[in-house]
Amino acid sequence: MHNDCMTVRIAVAGASGYAGGEILRLLCGHPRLASGELEIGALTAGGNAGTRLGEHHKNLLPLADRVLAETTPETLAGHDVVFLGLPHGQSAQIANALPPSTLIIDCGADFRLQDGHEWDRYYGGEHAGTWPYGMPELLKNRAELAGASRIAVPGCYPTVSILSIAPAIAAGLVEPRVQVVALSGASGAGRAPKANLLAAEVLGSARAYGVGGVHRHTPEIIQALSALAGQPVEVAFTPILVPMARGILATVTAPTSAPLETIREAYAQAYADEPFLHLLPDGQFPETGAVVGSNAIQVGLAVDERAGLLTAIGAVDNLTKGTGGAAVQSMNLALGWGEIEGLTTVGVAP
Amino acid sequence: MHNDCMTVRIAVAGASGYAGGEILRLLCGHPRLASGELEIGALTAGGNAGTRLGEHHKNLLPLADRVLAETTPETLAGHDVVFLGLPHGQSAQIANALPPSTLIIDCGADFRLQDGHEWDRYYGGEHAGTWPYGMPELLKNRAELAGASRIAVPGCYPTVSILSIAPAIAAGLVEPRVQVVALSGASGAGRAPKANLLAAEVLGSARAYGVGGVHRHTPEIIQALSALAGQPVEVAFTPILVPMARGILATVTAPTSAPLETIREAYAQAYADEPFLHLLPDGQFPETGAVVGSNAIQVGLAVDERAGLLTAIGAVDNLTKGTGGAAVQSMNLALGWGEIEGLTTVGVAP
Amino acid sequence: MHNDCMTVRIAVAGASGYAGGEILRLLCGHPRLASGELEIGALTAGGNAGTRLGEHHKNLLPLADRVLAETTPETLAGHDVVFLGLPHGQSAQIANALPPSTLIIDCGADFRLQDGHEWDRYYGGEHAGTWPYGMPELLKNRAELAGASRIAVPGCYPTVSILSIAPAIAAGLVEPRVQVVALSGASGAGRAPKANLLAAEVLGSARAYGVGGVHRHTPEIIQALSALAGQPVEVAFTPILVPMARGILATVTAPTSAPLETIREAYAQAYADEPFLHLLPDGQFPETGAVVGSNAIQVGLAVDERAGLLTAIGAVDNLTKGTGGAAVQSMNLALGWGEIEGLTTVGVAP
Amino acid sequence: MHNDCMTVRIAVAGASGYAGGEILRLLCGHPRLASGELEIGALTAGGNAGTRLGEHHKNLLPLADRVLAETTPETLAGHDVVFLGLPHGQSAQIANALPPSTLIIDCGADFRLQDGHEWDRYYGGEHAGTWPYGMPELLKNRAELAGASRIAVPGCYPTVSILSIAPAIAAGLVEPRVQVVALSGASGAGRAPKANLLAAEVLGSARAYGVGGVHRHTPEIIQALSALAGQPVEVAFTPILVPMARGILATVTAPTSAPLETIREAYAQAYADEPFLHLLPDGQFPETGAVVGSNAIQVGLAVDERAGLLTAIGAVDNLTKGTGGAAVQSMNLALGWGEIEGLTTVGVAP
């Protein structure tokens, strides 16, 4: 379906948003763009249609003069790959109007959940369906993504929350009661202007929100961890906004009686061949600054024997591995390209 | 012992550090300074002795030309109140050399713990002893602090961690298994220059440290909560450094089967007369920006019924209520002054 | 007109904005509130009318439950003092509908300029008029403000730009060609939500805007400096947005052949009795962090002999001395109260 | 001398510092590393010798386990390219001990200045000499760098200051009196721990330093601009530290009577073929966030006709184009590789 010998033509819907911008940033550095095997086609937007991309993404110099088309099935037609960075609930209609052969990679939540009741509880409205989950590190996903033509990119919080605790859950080394406290940079809240996301309100302040199990990423974490555990896993999730542009730091805990050594061994095995998962040595814990702009997830582990608790700390760039990087990684797999092409584990630090 | 009719003469040891600077900031605005009932005497330092205070605290204009003396029993003698902002382990020697009638308020950890084994486990060396704990909101502390001449100011993390969950623990509404994930601004790490605390390393990054039950504030939280519960309380504590100068946001959880309403009622009763504790309405959660420079603690509550968990979020300024404000509040009580004099619940925001 | 023996009743229009919030923060700490001589009356808003103040200013705990009325002459009637924190162009109508005896203090630009052509050039529309300028440190303003019933609070950039260079201009020690490059924290841009003011866009970035003499604060600086010089002063003004919530740091230069010593002497004389102006010693330069929440302006001076240039650096909190503090200072003067009441020179640092 | 068919072996001295880290970050993404034409050899340090690179640069995952050797001629011998990221004054001794055929690229100041008196005035001590200046965009530098074996990388402030005004100076469109106010992120101050560079002191604050013509980058700017002008150019330079990790925003002004259009044309011509210089459209001005991690310089122009002044605003990443990127760009030229290899114009934003 996707032929390496031909040029793959890519469209990005929602190109003026943060997810769209990150996908374009990564595509600009993708080696197949330079070689001509990849081409950046239509860039579309909603309210920003008709404006230049350069007004919205001042970093994307090579594409600065591109004019944004309106997001419609027509403008997106004729592309081999279509990335969707749309508000929740808008992807299904677009997807249904494009041919089944088009590789559609959705950065929204619409096709992530398997359980319609969970969808209804957290998002409301009709459940659009379930697509292969763009987290190759998990279960049989990598195989499923190879050749897929529909992919649901995981949420940013779920990406780091799930992968920070997955090996311990899968190996049955912790009890199925997981707590996550996850700090996110402000880009995670998207680009729609709101007074409480103004710089003056966020700078110098840390703020909890969506407390008590109501955040929409909760069922996604439950779904993935329960599948790994083979039984329902309780997940208590607390998101916190902190004054940085990018990055999520997740503190993920679960009761354990296993020694750190045993748990570490399970992680080492699970992630031995993963290109983007980096397990830190004993006594080291990640910081989000080290993964900025990279597709890496860094994980550090500790066991508090007194409290009988595993604490796994994971760091990710919410826009890269948390969104746009996972989208490109998924595209690479679906097209049969090298999984790491156009992606790096080296963050821009300090 | 402390006579309101006379001028109370105050010394600050460790005046070039952050704790010392915050105490001085608050004293500059204390109404008894203007009225002449309070006088700022010796300001002392270790390595910075001989320099002007203005070199270290560019905000303290009224005291800018004060020259720092060396921290010795001699320079601190002859004062009615001595605040100590010294490295751990140095307070006992100074305290022993001052008269028993001097009100000594120690911002260090030396006299906070009751259990010598815990001291040895977390700090090492000989346990100096136990002084009245400068957290008036807890148990019979307020009564004990009135007229005290030795006071141990609580740690910054313990202050907000303990007070965010105390009413639920005291009322037996949660199980005695508490998890705390607490984010701190960089001033919490003190002023000794270290490469990993440079602005370039902290800006744009969130970083976990002291993970797995090893942070020194852990036994202090356990001690206070266990006293409230009347039984041992398990505490798993994870500190995180986030890119802001001031503030701590603590996410404190404990298993519960009680409804939110019942828990809220317990908090409302416990904190009804507390001048600095502010319980937020349902669905609202605190942000540290709102308490900057104030002595307030703001607390928000949620119950995740699915996970059976109370999540209490507390915000505090680590330098004010978390250190210097608690020190001044304790002084006010010990001297028989109004508890809130020189302190405010109104933060500097945005 | 304003009787000390009676309670002065104060209204704040635009109470949900940053200027309104800062005025309220300062009034909460004003000593005449505690003594009952000052009372906080109507709080009004535009779009936010009907909501609680606590939703907008989470730091103003004592006023959290106040409900915002609509900004109309009726809601503002019956107050002795009315602070206006309204969008440009809306003050005149309100002011005209209130009695001449009401002390109206306008934080907007409407009544700052004397020259209608300049108003038209930079703001457009009809010039509302000119009120006494709320910068007591300048010329005969202090005398004029005593007993005034209409006051125009200076702009934030002009406040620090003018006062950083005023003594040199007034003494004829520099040529009348001034350049200002001024960095502002994000609160200077106000609270109306815009995508380019989102935290994600501002964090980690410095951004120039309004370059080339087009910023609206330019004519205000020209007006004040020309009055001091007794001749037209050229002013080139460049504003820059930097990632902090509060503060302006202005670099103000003018050609000079005078030695630093002479210039310093002129500043020392001009500012000898000014409670809020602090001249730093030779070789020291201000930082905005030291003035946060205070009404101080800190100024440092250097002469580059090679380039024949005076460089004066001034730091101010844009919301305090730059807006709300100047408003309260002006109120104090107009009411015959102590000029510094409710204000401090001590910033909240670090 | 440098043979494309063989592997080029590269050493980095000062690898634990920010300059060294940035060079390594870029080399990790250099296409000739993947192809085997480039090899990362010795990584050396001073006080950090013996430690793992991963302790210092948590982003450089592929090199995390490399152990730092001591910086000596012996450890650096046997490499084709040696990057020096050493404290000022230490490069000459190392350079003299290495063969003339080794390509040495010095990120320090030692070999940037041509005038020994200027060196003595600003740095003191003996002047080490002058090497080709690693700013290909200027004069005949690109030709001179091709095949060079000694290169002095420009300072970060000079890079953006010079290139923001160079076309106007070279075309004689402005008077030779230039003022620069340049804001830098904290990484520009290096990694040596100092109390005033701690995050708590830098966050939420903007701070002027080195005011009045004393900053060491001043003579470097004068030298470059005077060479372009063919006459001495006066430069008044004011550096300011702002709370971000990376980036410099320079406001560069010079008196002009030329219209903006003429000046813009001069820039357009001068930079038409420059891969890293991007001229923004009329009315747009750069922000540093858009160039983070990239080798781009974005420049915006305005003429204030009233003040008779050109204002050019330039943005650069101080660690990339301001240091490590210029070093790699220079290496590419010296080795006859493509100038842009391993470098990008696309910043990591937001």
Side-chain angles (χ1 to χ4, degrees):
Chain A
M1 170 173 56
H2 302 289
N3 189 330
D4 268 14
C5 303
M6 290 161 48
T7 295
V8 171
R9 193 166 162 78
I10 298 180
V12 176
S16 61
Y18 291 147
E22 183 71 356
I23 290 167
L24 289 169
R25 181 181 77 82
L26 294 167
L27 292 180
C28 282
H30 199 289
R32 305 220 183 204
L33 182 72
S35 68
E37 295 161 273
L38 174 165
E39 185 181 287
I40 299 175
L43 308 183
T44 77
N48 290 322
T51 61
R52 292 169 56 254
L53 188 72
E55 293 176 38
H56 308 289
H57 297 298
K58 302 185 176 186
N59 58 325
L60 300 178
L61 296 184
L63 302 171
D65 292 328
R66 289 289 197 90
V67 175
L68 298 171
E70 199 150 348
T71 301
T72 65
E74 290 71 32
T75 56
L76 297 171
H79 294 83
D80 303 294
V81 181
V82 174
F83 289 100
L84 301 179
L86 304 175
H88 296 316
Q90 301 190 0
S91 298
Q93 198 183 349
I94 293 285
N96 291 338
L98 294 174
S101 64
T102 306
L103 170 56
I104 304 181
I105 300 177
D106 183 17
C107 295
D110 299 23
F111 297 97
R112 291 176 194 156
L113 296 184
Q114 290 158 4
D115 181 337
H117 292 102
E118 287 288 80
W119 174 266
D120 185 55
R121 175 173 176 169
Y122 283 92
Y123 293 89
E126 206 181 345
H127 184 217
T130 311
W131 286 357
Y133 195 56
M135 190 182 281
E137 296 81 359
L138 217 60
L139 298 169
K140 302 173 184 169
N141 287 359
R142 187 170 275 117
E144 197 179 322
L145 294 168
S149 66
R150 294 289 185 274
I151 297 173
V153 177
C156 52
Y157 282 126
T159 295
V160 61
S161 301
I162 294 165
L163 292 174
S164 293
I165 197 76
I169 290 280
L173 293 168
V174 291
E175 294 176 34
R177 292 183 287 118
V178 172
Q179 293 190 30
V180 181
V181 177
L183 294 56
S184 177
S187 62
R191 204 170 196 173
K194 295 175 192 165
N196 67 355
L197 295 174
L198 287 174
E201 318 260 329
V202 172
L203 278 155
S205 194
R207 178 199 305 166
Y209 68 100
V211 182
V214 301
H215 191 281
R216 288 172 162 184
H217 283 172
T218 307
E220 195 178 335
I221 305 173
I222 292 175
Q223 170 179 292
L225 296 185
S226 298
L228 282 171
Q231 61 171 307
V233 175
E234 233 172 66
V235 175
F237 175 64
T238 306
I240 297 174
L241 176 66
V242 296
M244 55 193 197
R246 286 175 175 243
I248 297 178
L249 189 82
T251 298
V252 189
T253 67
T256 191
S257 54
L260 177 56
E261 197 176 319
T262 306
I263 295 172
R264 172 172 290 282
E265 182 56 27
Y267 276 72
Q269 281 186 22
Y271 291 154
D273 298 327
E274 288 301 334
F276 296 116
L277 276 154
H278 181 80
L279 189 60
L280 289 164
D282 266 0
Q284 290 186 26
F285 299 93
E287 49 194 87
T288 60
V291 298
V292 168
S294 89
N295 210 49
I297 298 187
Q298 295 197 17
V299 179
L301 300 174
V303 168
D304 182 338
E305 291 178 15
R306 200 173 188 175
L309 204 73
L310 167 66
T311 301
I313 313 279
V316 76
D317 184 324
N318 59 305
L319 290 182
T320 318
K321 179 59 176 163
T323 307
V328 169
Q329 184 182 357
S330 295
M331 173 191 77
N332 286 339
L333 285 167
L335 296 178
W337 292 351
E339 183 174 344
I340 65 168
E341 289 186 19
L343 302 168
T344 178
T345 60
V346 176
V348 179
Chain B
M1 172 171 53
H2 302 289
N3 189 331
D4 268 13
C5 303
M6 289 160 51
T7 296
V8 171
R9 192 166 162 78
I10 299 180
V12 177
S16 60
Y18 290 147
E22 182 71 356
I23 289 168
L24 289 170
R25 180 180 78 81
L26 294 168
L27 292 180
C28 282
H30 199 290
R32 304 222 183 202
L33 182 71
S35 68
E37 294 161 274
L38 175 165
E39 184 180 288
I40 299 175
L43 308 182
T44 76
N48 289 323
T51 62
R52 291 170 56 254
L53 188 72
E55 293 176 37
H56 308 289
H57 297 298
K58 300 182 178 188
N59 58 325
L60 300 178
L61 296 184
L63 302 170
D65 291 328
R66 290 289 196 92
V67 175
L68 298 172
E70 199 151 348
T71 301
T72 65
E74 290 71 32
T75 55
L76 297 172
H79 293 83
D80 302 295
V81 182
V82 175
F83 289 99
L84 302 179
L86 305 175
H88 296 317
Q90 300 189 3
S91 298
Q93 200 183 346
I94 292 285
N96 291 337
L98 294 174
S101 63
T102 307
L103 170 56
I104 304 180
I105 300 176
D106 184 18
C107 295
D110 299 24
F111 296 97
R112 290 176 195 154
L113 296 183
Q114 288 157 5
D115 181 337
H117 293 103
E118 287 288 80
W119 174 267
D120 185 54
R121 176 173 175 170
Y122 282 92
Y123 293 89
E126 206 181 343
H127 184 217
T130 310
W131 287 357
Y133 195 57
M135 189 181 280
E137 295 82 1
L138 216 61
L139 298 168
K140 302 172 184 169
N141 287 359
R142 186 170 276 118
E144 198 179 323
L145 293 168
S149 65
R150 295 290 186 274
I151 297 172
V153 176
C156 52
Y157 282 126
T159 294
V160 62
S161 302
I162 294 165
L163 292 174
S164 294
I165 197 76
I169 290 279
L173 294 168
V174 292
E175 293 177 35
R177 292 182 287 115
V178 172
Q179 293 191 29
V180 181
V181 177
L183 294 57
S184 176
S187 62
R191 204 169 196 173
K194 296 175 192 164
N196 67 356
L197 295 175
L198 288 174
E201 317 261 329
V202 172
L203 279 154
S205 193
R207 177 199 303 166
Y209 69 99
V211 182
V214 301
H215 192 282
R216 288 173 163 183
H217 283 172
T218 308
E220 195 178 334
I221 305 173
I222 292 175
Q223 169 179 294
L225 296 185
S226 298
L228 282 171
Q231 61 171 306
V233 175
E234 236 173 62
V235 174
F237 176 64
T238 305
I240 298 174
L241 177 66
V242 296
M244 55 193 196
R246 286 175 175 241
I248 297 178
L249 190 83
T251 299
V252 189
T253 67
T256 190
S257 54
L260 176 56
E261 195 177 321
T262 305
I263 295 173
R264 172 172 290 283
E265 181 55 28
Y267 277 72
Q269 282 185 21
Y271 291 153
D273 298 326
E274 288 300 335
F276 297 116
L277 277 154
H278 183 81
L279 190 60
L280 289 164
D282 266 0
Q284 290 187 26
F285 298 94
E287 49 194 89
T288 60
V291 297
V292 168
S294 89
N295 209 50
I297 299 186
Q298 295 197 18
V299 179
L301 300 174
V303 168
D304 182 340
E305 289 176 16
R306 198 172 189 176
L309 204 72
L310 167 66
T311 302
I313 312 278
V316 75
D317 183 323
N318 60 304
L319 290 182
T320 317
K321 180 58 178 162
T323 309
V328 169
Q329 185 181 357
S330 294
M331 174 191 75
N332 286 339
L333 284 167
L335 296 178
W337 292 351
E339 184 174 345
I340 65 169
E341 289 186 19
L343 302 169
T344 178
T345 60
V346 177
V348 179
Chain C
M1 171 172 54
H2 303 290
N3 190 331
D4 268 13
C5 303
M6 289 160 50
T7 296
V8 171
R9 192 166 163 78
I10 299 180
V12 177
S16 61
Y18 291 147
E22 182 71 355
I23 289 167
L24 289 170
R25 180 181 77 81
L26 294 168
L27 292 179
C28 282
H30 199 290
R32 304 221 184 202
L33 182 71
S35 68
E37 295 161 274
L38 177 164
E39 184 180 288
I40 299 176
L43 308 182
T44 76
N48 290 323
T51 62
R52 291 169 57 254
L53 188 72
E55 294 176 36
H56 309 288
H57 298 298
K58 301 185 177 186
N59 58 325
L60 300 178
L61 296 184
L63 303 169
D65 290 329
R66 289 289 196 92
V67 175
L68 298 172
E70 200 152 345
T71 300
T72 65
E74 291 69 34
T75 55
L76 296 171
H79 294 83
D80 302 293
V81 182
V82 174
F83 290 99
L84 302 180
L86 305 175
H88 297 315
Q90 301 189 0
S91 298
Q93 199 182 347
I94 293 286
N96 291 337
L98 294 174
S101 63
T102 306
L103 170 56
I104 304 181
I105 301 177
D106 184 17
C107 296
D110 299 24
F111 297 97
R112 290 177 195 155
L113 296 184
Q114 289 157 6
D115 182 337
H117 293 102
E118 288 288 80
W119 174 267
D120 185 54
R121 176 174 176 170
Y122 283 92
Y123 293 89
E126 205 181 345
H127 184 215
T130 311
W131 286 357
Y133 194 57
M135 191 182 280
E137 297 81 0
L138 216 61
L139 297 169
K140 302 173 184 168
N141 287 0
R142 188 170 275 117
E144 198 179 322
L145 293 168
S149 66
R150 293 290 185 274
I151 297 174
V153 177
C156 52
Y157 283 126
T159 295
V160 61
S161 302
I162 293 165
L163 292 173
S164 294
I165 197 75
I169 291 279
L173 293 168
V174 292
E175 293 177 35
R177 291 181 287 116
V178 172
Q179 293 191 29
V180 181
V181 177
L183 294 58
S184 177
S187 62
R191 203 169 197 174
K194 295 175 192 165
N196 67 355
L197 295 175
L198 287 174
E201 318 260 327
V202 172
L203 278 154
S205 193
R207 176 199 305 166
Y209 68 100
V211 183
V214 301
H215 192 281
R216 289 173 163 185
H217 283 172
T218 308
E220 194 178 335
I221 305 174
I222 292 175
Q223 170 178 292
L225 296 185
S226 298
L228 283 170
Q231 62 171 306
V233 175
E234 234 172 66
V235 174
F237 176 65
T238 305
I240 298 174
L241 177 66
V242 297
M244 54 194 197
R246 286 178 173 240
I248 298 178
L249 190 82
T251 298
V252 189
T253 67
T256 190
S257 55
L260 176 55
E261 197 177 320
T262 306
I263 294 172
R264 172 173 290 283
E265 182 55 28
Y267 277 71
Q269 281 185 22
Y271 291 154
D273 298 328
E274 288 301 336
F276 297 115
L277 276 154
H278 182 81
L279 190 60
L280 289 164
D282 266 0
Q284 290 187 26
F285 299 92
E287 49 194 88
T288 60
V291 298
V292 168
S294 90
N295 210 50
I297 299 186
Q298 294 197 18
V299 179
L301 301 174
V303 169
D304 182 339
E305 291 176 15
R306 200 173 190 175
L309 205 72
L310 168 66
T311 301
I313 312 279
V316 75
D317 184 322
N318 60 304
L319 290 182
T320 318
K321 180 59 177 162
T323 307
V328 170
Q329 186 182 358
S330 294
M331 174 191 76
N332 286 339
L333 284 167
L335 297 178
W337 292 351
E339 184 174 344
I340 65 169
E341 289 186 20
L343 302 168
T344 178
T345 60
V346 177
V348 179
Chain D
M1 172 172 54
H2 302 289
N3 190 330
D4 268 13
C5 303
M6 290 161 47
T7 295
V8 171
R9 193 167 162 77
I10 298 180
V12 176
S16 61
Y18 291 146
E22 182 70 356
I23 290 167
L24 289 169
R25 180 180 77 82
L26 295 167
L27 293 179
C28 283
H30 200 289
R32 305 224 182 201
L33 181 72
S35 69
E37 295 161 273
L38 175 164
E39 184 180 287
I40 299 175
L43 308 183
T44 76
N48 290 323
T51 61
R52 293 169 56 253
L53 188 73
E55 294 177 36
H56 308 288
H57 297 299
K58 302 185 177 187
N59 57 326
L60 299 178
L61 296 184
L63 302 170
D65 291 328
R66 289 290 197 90
V67 175
L68 297 172
E70 199 151 346
T71 301
T72 65
E74 291 71 32
T75 55
L76 297 171
H79 295 84
D80 302 294
V81 181
V82 174
F83 289 100
L84 302 180
L86 305 175
H88 296 316
Q90 301 190 1
S91 298
Q93 199 183 347
I94 293 285
N96 291 339
L98 294 174
S101 63
T102 306
L103 171 55
I104 304 181
I105 300 177
D106 184 18
C107 295
D110 299 24
F111 297 96
R112 290 176 194 156
L113 296 184
Q114 289 156 5
D115 181 336
H117 292 101
E118 288 287 81
W119 174 266
D120 185 54
R121 176 173 174 170
Y122 283 92
Y123 293 90
E126 206 181 345
H127 184 217
T130 311
W131 286 358
Y133 195 58
M135 190 181 281
E137 296 81 0
L138 216 60
L139 299 168
K140 303 172 184 170
N141 288 357
R142 187 170 274 117
E144 198 179 322
L145 292 168
S149 66
R150 295 290 185 274
I151 296 173
V153 177
C156 53
Y157 282 126
T159 295
V160 62
S161 302
I162 294 165
L163 293 174
S164 293
I165 197 76
I169 290 279
L173 293 169
V174 293
E175 293 176 35
R177 292 182 287 117
V178 171
Q179 293 191 30
V180 181
V181 176
L183 292 58
S184 176
S187 62
R191 204 170 196 173
K194 294 174 193 165
N196 67 354
L197 295 174
L198 288 174
E201 317 260 328
V202 172
L203 278 155
S205 193
R207 178 198 305 165
Y209 69 100
V211 182
V214 301
H215 192 281
R216 287 172 162 184
H217 283 171
T218 308
E220 195 178 335
I221 305 173
I222 293 175
Q223 170 179 292
L225 296 185
S226 298
L228 283 171
Q231 62 171 308
V233 174
E234 235 172 63
V235 174
F237 175 65
T238 304
I240 298 175
L241 177 66
V242 296
M244 55 194 196
R246 287 175 173 243
I248 297 178
L249 189 82
T251 299
V252 189
T253 67
T256 189
S257 55
L260 177 56
E261 196 177 319
T262 307
I263 295 172
R264 171 172 292 281
E265 181 56 28
Y267 276 72
Q269 282 185 21
Y271 291 153
D273 298 327
E274 288 301 335
F276 297 116
L277 276 154
H278 181 81
L279 191 59
L280 290 164
D282 266 1
Q284 290 187 25
F285 299 93
E287 50 194 87
T288 60
V291 298
V292 167
S294 90
N295 210 49
I297 298 187
Q298 296 198 18
V299 179
L301 301 174
V303 168
D304 182 339
E305 290 177 16
R306 198 173 191 175
L309 204 73
L310 167 66
T311 301
I313 312 278
V316 75
D317 184 323
N318 60 305
L319 290 181
T320 318
K321 180 58 176 163
T323 308
V328 169
Q329 185 182 358
S330 295
M331 174 192 76
N332 286 339
L333 284 167
L335 297 178
W337 292 351
E339 184 174 342
I340 65 167
E341 289 185 18
L343 302 168
T344 178
T345 60
V346 177
V348 179

